[in-house]
Amino acid sequence: MDKPARTGRVTIRTVAADAGVSVAAVSKVLRNAYGVSDNLREKVLQSIEKLGYRPSTAARGMRGRTFSVGVLLVGMDNPFLPPLVDGFKHAMGKAGYKTLIGVGEARTHVETALIESMIDMRIDGLLLIGPRISGEALNKYADQVPIAVIGHHEAGATGFDTANTNDFEGGRLATRALIDKGYRDIAMLCLTDNRRKEGEVWYEREKGYRAALAEAGLKKSARSFRITERPDDMQAELLSLLARPDLPEAFFCWSDIHGVPLINLARRKGLNIPGDLGLISFDNTAAAALPLIELASVDQTPGRLGATAADQLLTRIKGRTTPRHDLIAPELITRPSF
Amino acid sequence: MDKPARTGRVTIRTVAADAGVSVAAVSKVLRNAYGVSDNLREKVLQSIEKLGYRPSTAARGMRGRTFSVGVLLVGMDNPFLPPLVDGFKHAMGKAGYKTLIGVGEARTHVETALIESMIDMRIDGLLLIGPRISGEALNKYADQVPIAVIGHHEAGATGFDTANTNDFEGGRLATRALIDKGYRDIAMLCLTDNRRKEGEVWYEREKGYRAALAEAGLKKSARSFRITERPDDMQAELLSLLARPDLPEAFFCWSDIHGVPLINLARRKGLNIPGDLGLISFDNTAAAALPLIELASVDQTPGRLGATAADQLLTRIKGRTTPRHDLIAPELITRPSF
DNA sequence: ATGAAAGCGCTAACAA
DNA sequence: TTGTTAGCGCTTTCAT
């Protein structure tokens, strides 16, 4: 006895009735499962088209796949993110998955709330970009849903995957370029961070910086300065850095987030770049390439990073359980700032 | 006969069993519905806490609210968006709603796919920021879910709400400021756009620009130039603009998207700003405030815009059906670029 | 005030 | 190959 929906909504039942088949048949067509004749499939597809039917993700979430994945961002104002998210979206889209985004505001409890919220919607996978939470806490979520992490090195993690630029290599690359240009007193700008520095991208870059100095016999000259990420205080800290009597000959800067304002302030202070001060930064964002900026910067190929994470998620969804920790080679984009 | 869940998942049943009450009771507590004694409520809340229970959004979506709303962005690289989305998120968060974001990539079919996908997840409301689709097409979705639009003027729409800066006033404000400074030959930079211009924010600003000129008896001197938004070609177009023999005394620029590169290129070309060329732009993004930029720009108070849209959605969810079209007053942020 | 039970729109055994 | 049906975890009448 067919119990037709009383609402106007087109459901799988409406389609089944219209096509004169069972709901199971429609479901099978939807998921291209085995055991459907071309004839039946054709009828169903026509009804779907005719009725404008779209399966309810909510209902799907109660049994199987939702064919949607989530991305968690720390904030929206990092210019490094758009190409990364695009690369990810594109790769997931080709596999038939929708991408939804949540913004964690760099606050741990907002971040966990968002992760849980996405899990509660039964998304099929989750990409975390530069998450505050990590390690132990992530494993807890990782057995509820496949997880990939970008922007945090955790090569020992077993429950989830990571995709990162080889930040160590990037730091080494940039520092070596400065050394090759003749600079000897090279300092590094890092991020002030109250979290454990182990695994942080800037810390990996710092290790690369120190390695390059050591290789050139300049180990003793290594100096790191820590600058805040908060826009309000950043400028003051950079200015007081530039006012130091022991200003180095060159800076390797962990990110364009600091690098672009730094080159701006230095020039405005009357310093010639690269005459008085050499500068290489990291991320190669659009701002670094601007006419009046022209800041050399290490490129992370963010699109590839995103696509790599997408592949990790897709293969996890298909059943892989052995962890993957992919490292992508960075490239120095040379500009006349050093 | 209690049929306990076989999976390890904590469901409403697990909680009911633990608290020794019915699932209906738990559901009522969850939604603070009427008819629950403080005693029962207390027991249930304790069990929820103890078991770490979180209701499944997917299951909720099949009957009532999901307590999540969606935001559709055209792209992620507009620096105007982060504070807007933050204002929205914050207001929705206070009302107990989660915010999920989709990125439309400025392609119509991606946009519609995303809107439908969010509706299929049974989100309770949808905010569209600068959507490509509009009017008729939106009404179709508006009777499936409450919709608010930012960044597109559609004061006649009845099915959904809009929240916008008073762009006409903003254009008038900026142009009048240039006139007051003594400029007479003032041109405007608009966006190249193959859509209908009616309703577009830049077009409203252009109307304000022309109104201000007319009010000052300068109607005849009005000139608009149209520049692409695509980063690849934008610079070339701006350069050829600056190379014109009939360069105006000042520009009013529809957005910092063009304004910031323009001031950069003009300075690099050797022009003194404001000596040789006066400049006022729109959006007051972070870049406009940078030391080496200092571009006067009309502020849109994006946070308020977001909060306004949130209020529209929340009241629609509560049952309002009469449309709201809110206009927010802009403010000119004066900087030495004119 | 509390609980039993009927769905919501799907998926996936299992039967036919 | 096709159809029947038992849930998935919740909300919401309707009894009690």
Side-chain angles (χ1 to χ4, degrees):
Chain A
M1 206 180 291
D2 263 11
K3 194 185 301 170
R6 327 74 182 300
T7 111
R9 231 194 115 66
V10 176
T11 77
I12 198 172
R13 268 192 191 54
T14 326
V15 176
D18 183 88
V21 301
S22 73
V23 293
V26 179
S27 177
K28 279 178 184 154
V29 171
L30 247 31
R31 296 170 288 126
N32 340 244
Y34 291 110
V36 260
S37 68
D38 287 357
N39 179 19
L40 188 151
R41 171 185 308 279
E42 200 44 49
K43 275 194 299 186
V44 169
L45 287 176
Q46 274 181 24
S47 291
I48 288 177
E49 175 76 14
K50 182 173 96 191
L51 301 170
Y53 166 72
R54 299 186 324 251
S56 153
T57 309
R60 279 189 151 170
M62 295 197 63
R63 298 311 246 98
R65 301 266 134 89
T66 55
F67 291 100
S68 10
V69 292
V71 175
L72 185 83
L73 309 178
V74 167
M76 284 187 51
D77 35 21
N78 189 341
F80 168 68
L81 292 174
L84 196 167
V85 174
D86 267 4
F88 178 79
K89 260 178 64 91
H90 189 244
M92 291 308 293
K94 280 206 292 195
Y97 284 78
K98 301 267 186 284
T99 298
L100 292 178
I101 299 171
V103 182
E105 304 168 12
R107 286 157 59 200
T108 310
H109 81 273
V110 177
E111 206 167 85
T112 54
L114 228 27
I115 293 176
E116 295 181 349
S117 169
M118 290 180 139
I119 292 177
D120 295 344
M121 301 193 101
R122 301 289 183 274
I123 48 148
D124 298 332
L126 191 52
L127 167 62
L128 309 179
I129 304 179
R132 297 190 79 77
I133 65 172
S134 56
E136 198 60 14
L138 278 187
N139 275 316
K140 194 181 77 192
Y141 296 118
D143 50 51
Q144 301 183 52
V145 66
I147 287 184
V149 175
I150 289 180
H152 201 273
H153 294 265
E154 208 131 8
T158 55
F160 55 89
D161 304 324
T162 64
N164 282 292
T165 297
N166 191 330
D167 289 300
F168 176 87
E169 225 18 86
R172 198 156 158 235
L173 211 70
T175 310
R176 204 184 296 148
L178 288 168
I179 295 170
D180 288 350
K181 261 293 205 278
Y183 296 100
R184 286 299 171 265
D185 182 12
I186 305 168
M188 175 162 178
L189 247 63
C190 299
L191 183 61
T192 305
D193 204 315
N194 39 21
R195 294 179 272 175
R196 290 173 56 224
K197 56 190 179 181
E198 207 56 59
E200 298 291 318
V201 294
W202 62 263
Y203 187 54
E204 287 295 313
R205 291 167 200 171
E206 185 177 5
K207 287 193 224 161
Y209 155 77
R210 288 176 185 272
L213 288 185
E215 285 159 17
L218 297 169
K219 191 169 180 178
K220 287 284 174 62
S221 74
R223 294 194 272 167
S224 304
F225 298 98
R226 317 219 167 272
I227 305 286
T228 179
E229 204 168 10
R230 290 182 312 165
D232 298 345
D233 308 312
M234 186 202 302
Q235 180 158 330
E237 292 187 16
L238 290 175
L239 278 173
S240 87
L241 180 72
L242 286 170
R244 293 178 69 100
D246 60 343
L247 197 67
E249 297 167 8
F251 279 113
F252 163 50
C253 186
W254 81 282
S255 160
D256 288 354
I257 290 177
H258 289 155
V260 171
L262 181 66
I263 197 172
N264 256 329
L265 292 168
R267 287 208 179 105
R268 147 158 280 205
K269 203 171 181 293
L271 292 174
N272 279 317
I273 312 288
D276 302 320
L277 185 67
L279 240 43
I280 296 185
S281 174
F282 217 101
D283 284 354
N284 189 34
T285 54
L290 283 181
L292 276 189
I293 307 281
E294 302 209 285
L295 173 60
S297 195
V298 178
D299 192 87
Q300 297 204 52
T301 56
R304 264 188 72 196
L305 265 182
T308 302
D311 184 64
Q312 293 179 337
L313 246 29
L314 288 169
T315 52
R316 280 248 182 214
I317 290 173
K318 281 208 190 97
R320 176 173 56 81
T321 54
T322 57
R324 259 176 65 183
H325 298 288
D326 296 343
L327 240 35
I328 292 180
E331 182 193 0
L332 174 63
I333 306 298
T334 298
R335 295 197 185 91
S337 67
F338 77 107
Chain B
M1 207 181 294
D2 264 9
K3 193 185 302 169
R6 327 75 182 302
T7 111
R9 230 195 114 67
V10 177
T11 77
I12 199 172
R13 267 192 194 53
T14 326
V15 176
D18 183 87
V21 301
S22 72
V23 293
V26 178
S27 176
K28 279 176 184 156
V29 171
L30 246 32
R31 297 170 287 123
N32 342 240
Y34 292 111
V36 261
S37 67
D38 286 358
N39 180 19
L40 187 150
R41 172 186 307 280
E42 200 45 49
K43 276 193 298 184
V44 169
L45 288 176
Q46 273 181 24
S47 291
I48 287 178
E49 176 75 16
K50 184 173 93 189
L51 300 170
Y53 166 72
R54 299 186 323 252
S56 152
T57 309
R60 280 189 150 171
M62 294 195 63
R63 298 310 245 95
R65 301 266 136 87
T66 55
F67 292 101
S68 10
V69 292
V71 175
L72 184 82
L73 309 178
V74 167
M76 283 186 52
D77 34 20
N78 189 341
F80 168 68
L81 292 175
L84 197 168
V85 173
D86 268 5
F88 178 78
K89 260 177 64 92
H90 189 245
M92 292 308 293
K94 280 206 293 195
Y97 283 79
K98 300 267 185 285
T99 299
L100 291 177
I101 299 171
V103 181
E105 304 169 11
R107 285 158 59 200
T108 309
H109 80 274
V110 177
E111 206 167 87
T112 55
L114 228 28
I115 291 176
E116 295 182 348
S117 168
M118 291 179 140
I119 290 177
D120 295 343
M121 300 193 103
R122 302 288 183 275
I123 48 149
D124 298 331
L126 191 51
L127 168 63
L128 308 178
I129 304 179
R132 296 191 80 77
I133 66 172
S134 56
E136 199 59 14
L138 279 186
N139 275 317
K140 194 181 75 191
Y141 295 119
D143 50 51
Q144 301 183 53
V145 66
I147 288 185
V149 175
I150 288 180
H152 201 273
H153 294 264
E154 207 130 8
T158 56
F160 55 91
D161 304 325
T162 63
N164 282 292
T165 297
N166 191 330
D167 288 300
F168 176 87
E169 226 17 86
R172 197 155 158 236
L173 211 71
T175 309
R176 203 184 296 148
L178 288 169
I179 295 171
D180 289 349
K181 260 294 205 279
Y183 295 100
R184 286 298 169 267
D185 182 12
I186 305 168
M188 175 162 178
L189 247 63
C190 300
L191 183 62
T192 305
D193 203 316
N194 39 21
R195 294 179 271 175
R196 292 174 55 224
K197 56 189 179 182
E198 208 56 60
E200 298 291 317
V201 294
W202 64 261
Y203 187 55
E204 287 295 313
R205 291 167 200 171
E206 185 178 4
K207 287 194 223 160
Y209 155 78
R210 288 176 185 271
L213 287 185
E215 286 159 18
L218 297 169
K219 191 169 179 178
K220 287 284 174 63
S221 75
R223 294 194 272 166
S224 304
F225 298 99
R226 316 218 168 273
I227 305 288
T228 179
E229 205 168 9
R230 290 182 312 164
D232 297 345
D233 308 313
M234 185 201 301
Q235 180 158 331
E237 293 187 14
L238 290 175
L239 279 173
S240 87
L241 181 71
L242 287 169
R244 294 177 69 101
D246 60 343
L247 197 67
E249 297 166 9
F251 279 114
F252 163 49
C253 187
W254 81 283
S255 161
D256 288 354
I257 291 177
H258 289 155
V260 171
L262 181 66
I263 197 173
N264 256 330
L265 291 168
R267 286 208 180 104
R268 147 158 279 205
K269 203 172 181 295
L271 293 174
N272 279 316
I273 313 287
D276 301 322
L277 185 66
L279 239 42
I280 296 185
S281 175
F282 217 102
D283 284 354
N284 189 34
T285 53
L290 283 180
L292 276 189
I293 307 281
E294 303 208 285
L295 175 60
S297 195
V298 177
D299 192 87
Q300 296 203 52
T301 55
R304 265 188 71 194
L305 221 40
T308 302
D311 184 64
Q312 293 179 337
L313 246 29
L314 288 169
T315 52
R316 279 247 182 215
I317 290 174
K318 281 207 190 97
R320 176 174 56 81
T321 53
T322 57
R324 258 176 66 183
H325 298 289
D326 297 343
L327 239 36
I328 291 180
E331 183 192 0
L332 173 64
I333 305 299
T334 299
R335 295 198 186 90
S337 66
F338 76 107

